[in-house]
Amino acid sequence: MRWGVACMILKLFKLPDGNQSIIVHGLTRFRLTSVEQTEPFLLGRVEVLEETFEPSPEFDALLASVRQQANRVIELSPNTPDEAAQVLNSITQPSALADFLAANLQADTPEKQALLEELDVEKRLRQIAARLATQLDVLELQSKIQSQVKENIDKSQRRYYLQEQMKAIRKELGEGDASGTSEVDSLREKIVAANPPEVVMKEATRELTRLESIPSASPEYGVIRTWLQIISELPWSTATTDHLDLAEARKILDRDHHDLDKVKRRIIEYLAVRKLKPEGGRRDPLLPGAAGRGQDEPRQEHRGGDGTKIHSGCARWRAR
């Protein structure tokens, strides 16, 4: 490294740990041409280097663009002092502006050394502009992420605040129990405990949200609540062993239902198929006919008149 900057020492600080720190003012660039002596101190011969640039509208536009980028970086950088923008705007010389920005760039030493050795001010400004653009992209992305996080936190806090207000209002109206748990919360706990399939749970959650926003005096409130109660009581994750005794099934059907011979025969046929092929797919029998003709009556036979279980699938029969 044979390039450097001639500086004037402005102030010397003695630190508590015994080290020293200085504030310097850069005067000009130089290149070391030869070393004359090393003892008792280093002495060398240098060549003072002059910077070059040609004023033009394009150069002025570049200078304004770099200044704008630098101000934006200062604005987005959390640890940059407020005086930095004032210092930046007070610099009028293009070379001094380029040096000020190069010294404060987030770059490693070799990159800064390369900027120091560039004597063409316009080229140096273009390199700084490219580096500022990269740094600005990162800062803007960080700012966007922080804004999104803050917005999500604000939404969560607002939702929590409103929910607490709703709980307080329901408590005053007597719509919650003594422990402060509302009917909606109780239904939600029961549905979660029932462990329904994902598609059912998704729909139940949507209806629970609707129920929270509907007044309890509304007719729709009762309809939704009844549906949710049914969902919470269905044995989604409970299974029983099939009892495929055809003679016992026919006996219970004849005992509890008069006539309906075709319906009974269809049920016995279904149970017979299930007995011969228990691993086959469960296809519940469809009982055709107009409403009110008794097709739904055999549904209770999954328990039997005396509570004996015949076939758990019968609970899903529907009239068609």
Side-chain angles (χ1 to χ4, degrees):
M1 185 184 299
R2 305 182 69 85
W3 290 63
V5 178
C7 299
M8 179 174 62
I9 298 176
L10 299 180
K11 197 166 185 179
L12 173 65
F13 295 94
K14 290 185 177 180
L15 303 178
D17 58 0
N19 293 324
Q20 293 182 343
S21 178
I22 59 174
I23 297 178
V24 299
H25 174 64
L27 300 176
T28 184
R29 285 172 168 76
F30 69 84
R31 181 170 54 221
L32 180 66
T33 58
S34 63
V35 177
E36 301 296 326
Q37 69 176 46
T38 58
E39 297 294 341
F41 53 84
L42 187 64
L43 181 65
R45 189 175 297 277
V46 300
E47 175 189 0
V48 176
L49 304 173
E50 298 293 335
E51 299 172 307
T52 61
F53 74 90
E54 295 182 4
S56 65
E58 183 180 358
F59 182 81
D60 293 339
L62 173 63
L63 191 63
S65 176
V66 170
R67 193 184 297 274
Q68 183 179 7
Q69 284 179 306
N71 277 311
R72 181 61 176 161
V73 169
I74 292 174
E75 180 183 346
L76 294 176
S77 299
N79 299 324
T80 304
D82 298 335
E83 296 79 9
Q86 299 177 1
V87 173
L88 176 66
N89 294 326
S90 66
I91 300 175
T92 57
Q93 293 294 328
S95 175
L97 178 63
D99 291 340
F100 174 77
L101 295 176
N104 291 280
L105 279 178
Q106 293 183 358
D108 52 20
T109 301
E111 187 174 356
K112 289 186 176 182
Q113 180 67 29
L115 290 172
L116 175 68
E117 296 177 6
E118 180 57 66
L119 299 180
D120 190 320
V121 177
E122 182 175 352
K123 290 183 179 180
R124 197 188 320 155
L125 281 173
R126 291 189 182 278
Q127 294 176 17
I128 292 172
R131 194 68 180 82
L132 283 175
T134 302
Q135 187 174 342
L136 190 57
D137 287 342
V138 174
L139 289 172
E140 287 181 340
L141 182 59
Q142 290 177 344
S143 177
K144 181 180 179 181
I145 294 173
Q146 290 174 357
S147 298
Q148 290 175 345
V149 171
K150 185 177 182 299
E151 182 180 354
N152 291 336
I153 292 175
D154 291 342
K155 285 183 178 179
S156 299
Q157 290 176 342
R158 181 173 179 271
R159 180 176 178 82
Y160 174 78
Y161 176 72
L162 292 175
Q163 286 177 339
E164 290 300 313
Q165 282 188 325
M166 290 176 64
K167 288 180 180 179
I169 293 171
R170 288 196 178 101
K171 187 176 180 181
E172 291 296 325
L173 295 175
E175 296 181 2
D177 56 25
S179 64
T181 302
S182 67
E183 185 177 23
V184 176
D185 293 333
S186 178
L187 283 171
R188 181 179 287 107
E189 292 175 1
K190 290 180 180 179
I191 292 173
V192 171
N195 192 25
E198 182 179 356
V199 62
V200 178
M201 189 64 194
K202 182 178 179 181
E203 185 65 20
T205 302
R206 188 176 72 88
E207 293 299 323
L208 284 167
T209 303
R210 288 183 59 201
L211 193 64
E212 285 179 324
S213 60
I214 297 176
S216 59
S218 172
E220 190 177 5
Y221 185 94
V223 174
I224 297 175
R225 180 182 59 185
T226 301
W227 183 83
L228 290 170
Q229 287 175 339
I230 294 174
I231 294 298
S232 66
E233 294 171 0
L234 288 175
W236 298 102
S237 56
T238 303
T240 59
T241 304
D242 291 344
H243 182 55
L244 302 177
D245 189 330
L246 303 185
E248 182 68 17
R250 181 69 194 205
K251 179 181 177 182
I252 294 174
L253 289 171
D254 289 338
R255 182 192 66 194
D256 294 342
H257 300 282
H258 176 68
D259 202 8
L260 300 176
D261 187 62
K262 290 184 179 180
V263 175
K264 296 174 183 177
R265 188 166 60 250
R266 179 69 186 93
I267 294 174
I268 296 300
E269 289 174 357
Y270 173 77
L271 295 178
V273 172
R274 294 296 306 146
K275 187 173 183 179
L276 290 173
K277 194 177 180 182
E279 72 281 359
R282 291 184 177 270
R283 298 178 60 86
D284 298 337
L286 303 180
L287 308 177
R293 296 295 182 87
Q295 296 90 340
D296 281 347
E297 290 185 18
R299 282 190 299 169
Q300 66 184 10
E301 297 309 323
H302 70 288
R303 294 185 180 274
D306 57 355
T308 304
K309 294 182 181 179
I310 297 175
H311 180 59
S312 61
C314 298
R316 299 195 300 272
W317 290 340
R318 294 292 182 268
R320 294 292 185 271

